[in-house]
């Protein structure tokens, strides 16, 4: 599960379920989440935990079958820089 003091137990369980469905390890997800939150903040935006999880899942699914797997945080950064995040809100 993604370990972050800002995430409550219920959210950690949701993250754990998502992580098990993909080839990336837990640390990859934690780094990707932190990276996305930082990118959003730099653009004066934010997103709720469900939107963040969904976005990172889409990035992970986009590389399905790619060998070797690129770092998930790099995928998230690339996707964000190319497409933004529609569900993000202005601060």
């Amino acid at each position: 599960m993604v370990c972050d003091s800002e995430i409550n137990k219920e959210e950690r369980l949701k993250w754990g379920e998502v992580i098990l469905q993909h080839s990336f390890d837990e640390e990859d997800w934690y780094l990707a989440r932190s990276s996305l939150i930082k990118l959003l903040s730099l653009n004066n935006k934010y997103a709720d935990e469900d939107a963040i999880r969904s976005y990172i899942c889409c990035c992970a699914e986009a590389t399905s079958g790619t060998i070797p797997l690129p770092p998930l945080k790099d995928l998230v950064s690339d996707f964000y820089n190319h497409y933004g995040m529609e569900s993000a809100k202005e601060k």
Side-chain angles (χ1 to χ4, degrees), residues 12-56:
R12 278 188 238 139
L13 291 173
K14 290 178 184 177
W15 275 102
E17 291 172 11
V18 167
I19 290 169
L20 291 174
Q21 297 172 13
H22 299 281
S23 299
F24 296 95
D25 67 26
E26 184 178 333
E27 183 67 14
D28 290 325
W29 288 86
Y30 175 73
L31 293 171
R33 180 182 176 275
S34 295
S35 176
L36 181 56
I37 291 170
K38 189 178 292 183
L39 288 167
L40 289 168
S41 182
L42 289 171
N43 289 285
N44 206 30
K45 295 183 177 193
Y46 73 97
D48 65 26
E49 206 63 37
D50 285 334
I52 290 169
R53 191 171 36 254
S54 177
Y55 191 88
I56 298 172

